[in-house]
Amino acid sequence: MADDPAPLPLPRSASTAQQVHDWLYSCVLRGDLLPGQRLSETEIAARVGLSRQPVREAFIRLAENGLAEIRPQRGTYIGRISMRAVLSARLIREAVESDLARRVAGLRPDLSALHAQIAAQQMAHAAEDVPAFIEADDRFHAAMAEAAGAPEVWQDLDRLKAQMNRLRHLSMRVFDRAATMAQHRAILEALEAGDAGAAEAAVRAHLRQMLDELPQMAAAHPAYFTD
Amino acid sequence: MADDPAPLPLPRSASTAQQVHDWLYSCVLRGDLLPGQRLSETEIAARVGLSRQPVREAFIRLAENGLAEIRPQRGTYIGRISMRAVLSARLIREAVESDLARRVAGLRPDLSALHAQIAAQQMAHAAEDVPAFIEADDRFHAAMAEAAGAPEVWQDLDRLKAQMNRLRHLSMRVFDRAATMAQHRAILEALEAGDAGAAEAAVRAHLRQMLDELPQMAAAHPAYFTD
DNA sequence: CCGTCTTTACTTGTATGGAAGTTCGCGCTA
DNA sequence: TAGCGCGAACTTCCATACAAGTAAAGACGG
């Protein structure tokens, strides 16, 4: 009944539609495309030298990932940052990652990867490289998931994280990056000490920082948000 | 910079491509389309009386939701149930819903909606109506999220839940539905008593049941699973 | 001067044809 | 008979044309 299994799940070269999607995706997350901005199939198609069809399919993927809104016969727009979605994603991350932190504290695994990401973040901070700083931040949390023996969990959180990352690219130029790093160090200290309670508290405190940032950013850029 | 906000976010009649997607989506979750089964653009298009294009776009959405796998120039197949994805989704649900249960126990809100879903599940169980049973199960958990003051969290969990629901439609004909209902009653009892610790324990125990079901189903239908 | 209707220029949605690539099977060759 | 090669039939992918719908600008009537 079921057909043959895939022998090579690695696509050697993605389709052009996939490439267009990946490009737009990173543009949205980095803030090169701003919330509410209009996207035109024909314009993007001309810009990348393709027909409308692959661009259109890229839009569909974007919309399915919650990054764009297709209004039939009217236009496609970069989705505004839903405050409800951000708060929901934040709540989920807090619940999941605090659970993961407890596991890591109990397992006492090798934590050199987390040290490495903190070092990388330190360098990005010194160089004022905001994208690299955010990437190192993500890798720190991914390393924690891996240390907990559940690396695939971080993949599932990626989608939810997308909305949060958009917010961070707006706020990271304003907010205190040193405080973020201090929180990471506090988490790592608790993990190395094997103190599950302290690790959970540190993770929850770290992720609750966004509860302060969100209303400030929403007030500063009301056109970028909904809800 | 940002354009006008959407006045009517409610699409009165979705595009046909969207309808095709919704149809296929429910077919996959209900098990009418089995993991590994081949999908053909031309065949589906002929079956619904449309051209290949809207069907193709429905496939893209399915793939983006993790329910189908498009292998370029080779074919599109219903995705197999990834054991890693199921375990990851289960872990996330346990972490999030145990947190929500603690909140509900502290808030002491109106819990009549949960009672109603248990009653509905009892009726579905008596009528041997498996889909209705599963739907009532989902509504119970959704009602708990709403009682915790975070209904949007359940929406985010829907995507992850999709993989789990596919598994349940396979296993619900085999496994003990009475045990599931007893677990729901235990959760509700703890919530009504306002006992956060007991509520969390009951939720975790309920969601850990899948750890038993998954290997059994994977052994019974190895062709439907990967990892 | 203001309101209303019509036209026109856009948008996305769908249909169709062909291009690129994969798979399977038949026939040839050793 | 076993192995190789080629071709036919299939797949998804992309390009193009057309259809349906929206919105805004302008003409017209009051």
Side-chain angles (χ1 to χ4, degrees):
Chain A
M1 172 134 0
D3 296 58
D4 57 318
L8 279 175
L10 307 172
R12 48 174 173 261
S13 80
S15 68
T16 55
Q18 178 73 38
Q19 294 177 17
V20 172
H21 168 265
D22 294 346
W23 173 56
L24 293 174
Y25 187 93
S26 64
C27 283
V28 173
L29 256 65
R30 288 207 304 244
D32 293 345
L33 292 172
L34 291 172
Q37 185 172 344
R38 181 169 194 159
L39 289 180
S40 168
E41 292 181 0
T42 55
E43 182 200 342
I44 302 289
R47 210 148 121 194
V48 298
L50 293 171
S51 80
R52 276 180 43 216
Q53 209 56 46
V55 176
R56 170 178 175 78
E57 295 176 0
F59 284 8
I60 290 175
R61 291 167 129 111
L62 274 186
E64 211 66 23
N65 283 13
L67 295 185
E69 180 190 0
I70 302 174
R71 292 193 240 167
Q73 297 359 359
R74 302 174 90 178
T76 300
Y77 301 83
I78 301 295
R80 291 183 171 75
I81 301 175
S82 163
M83 295 176 61
R84 279 209 316 254
V86 171
L87 291 174
S88 173
R90 194 213 63 79
L91 187 150
I92 292 174
R93 275 192 69 180
E94 181 183 322
V96 172
E97 295 202 47
S98 61
D99 244 34
L100 292 178
R102 292 196 85 97
R103 290 194 186 201
V104 174
L107 288 171
R108 310 296 290 266
D110 176 39
L111 298 175
S112 59
L114 286 96
H115 276 289
Q117 292 311 325
I118 284 187
Q121 202 167 24
Q122 176 73 50
M123 291 183 60
H125 177 47
E128 295 280 338
D129 187 343
V130 173
F133 185 88
I134 292 177
E135 187 182 338
D137 190 311
D138 283 352
R139 286 183 192 273
F140 177 85
H141 290 267
M144 191 168 71
E146 187 152 8
E152 66 278 7
V153 169
W154 188 247
Q155 290 183 354
D156 284 335
L157 292 181
D158 249 19
R159 258 201 154 125
L160 302 172
K161 206 170 51 58
Q163 300 296 333
M164 297 173 63
N165 272 26
R166 292 214 287 161
L167 179 67
R168 284 206 296 180
H169 274 91
L170 285 177
S171 62
M172 267 300 176
R173 292 180 176 83
V174 177
F175 283 92
D176 191 357
R177 293 193 291 274
T180 297
M181 295 189 51
Q183 290 162 5
H184 278 194
R185 286 199 202 90
I187 294 171
L188 184 49
E189 266 184 45
L191 292 179
E192 284 183 324
D195 187 339
E200 172 174 356
V203 167
R204 289 190 185 268
H206 175 48
L207 290 171
R208 277 175 186 159
Q209 188 183 22
M210 188 163 306
L211 291 176
D212 296 328
E213 296 180 12
L214 177 57
Q216 294 187 44
M217 295 312 298
H221 304 284
Y224 293 167
F225 292 84
T226 55
D227 293 359
Chain B
M1 174 143 346
D3 297 58
D4 58 320
L8 278 176
L10 307 171
R12 47 174 175 262
S13 79
S15 67
T16 55
Q18 179 72 39
Q19 294 176 17
V20 173
H21 167 264
D22 294 347
W23 173 57
L24 293 174
Y25 188 93
S26 64
C27 283
V28 173
L29 255 64
R30 288 208 304 244
D32 292 345
L33 292 172
L34 290 173
Q37 186 171 343
R38 180 170 196 158
L39 289 181
S40 168
E41 291 181 1
T42 54
E43 183 200 342
I44 301 289
R47 211 148 121 193
V48 298
L50 292 170
S51 80
R52 299 193 329 266
Q53 205 58 42
V55 176
R56 169 178 175 75
E57 295 176 0
F59 285 7
I60 291 175
R61 292 170 134 106
L62 273 186
E64 210 65 22
N65 285 11
L67 295 184
E69 180 189 0
I70 302 175
R71 292 193 238 167
Q73 268 57 342
R74 302 173 93 178
T76 300
Y77 301 84
I78 300 294
R80 289 183 173 75
I81 301 175
S82 164
M83 295 175 60
R84 279 210 314 255
V86 171
L87 291 174
S88 172
R90 194 214 62 80
L91 187 150
I92 292 174
R93 276 192 69 179
E94 180 182 324
V96 172
E97 296 202 46
S98 60
D99 244 34
L100 293 178
R102 292 196 86 96
R103 292 194 184 201
V104 173
L107 288 171
R108 310 296 291 267
D110 175 39
L111 298 175
S112 58
L114 285 88
H115 277 288
Q117 292 311 326
I118 284 186
Q121 202 167 24
Q122 176 71 51
M123 289 183 60
H125 178 48
E128 295 280 339
D129 187 343
V130 173
F133 185 88
I134 292 177
E135 187 181 338
D137 190 311
D138 283 354
R139 286 183 191 274
F140 178 84
H141 289 267
M144 191 169 69
E146 187 151 9
E152 67 277 8
V153 168
W154 188 248
Q155 288 182 355
D156 283 335
L157 293 181
D158 249 19
R159 259 196 155 136
L160 301 172
K161 205 170 50 60
Q163 299 296 334
M164 296 172 64
N165 272 26
R166 292 215 285 163
L167 179 67
R168 283 205 298 180
H169 274 91
L170 285 177
S171 61
M172 267 299 175
R173 292 181 177 83
V174 177
F175 283 92
D176 190 356
R177 293 193 292 274
T180 297
M181 296 189 50
Q183 291 162 5
H184 278 193
R185 287 200 201 89
I187 293 171
L188 184 51
E189 266 184 43
L191 292 179
E192 285 185 322
D195 188 339
E200 172 173 354
V203 168
R204 289 190 185 267
H206 176 47
L207 289 172
R208 277 175 186 158
Q209 187 183 25
M210 188 163 306
L211 290 176
D212 297 328
E213 296 181 11
L214 178 57
Q216 293 187 43
M217 295 311 299
H221 304 284
Y224 293 166
F225 293 84
T226 55
D227 294 359

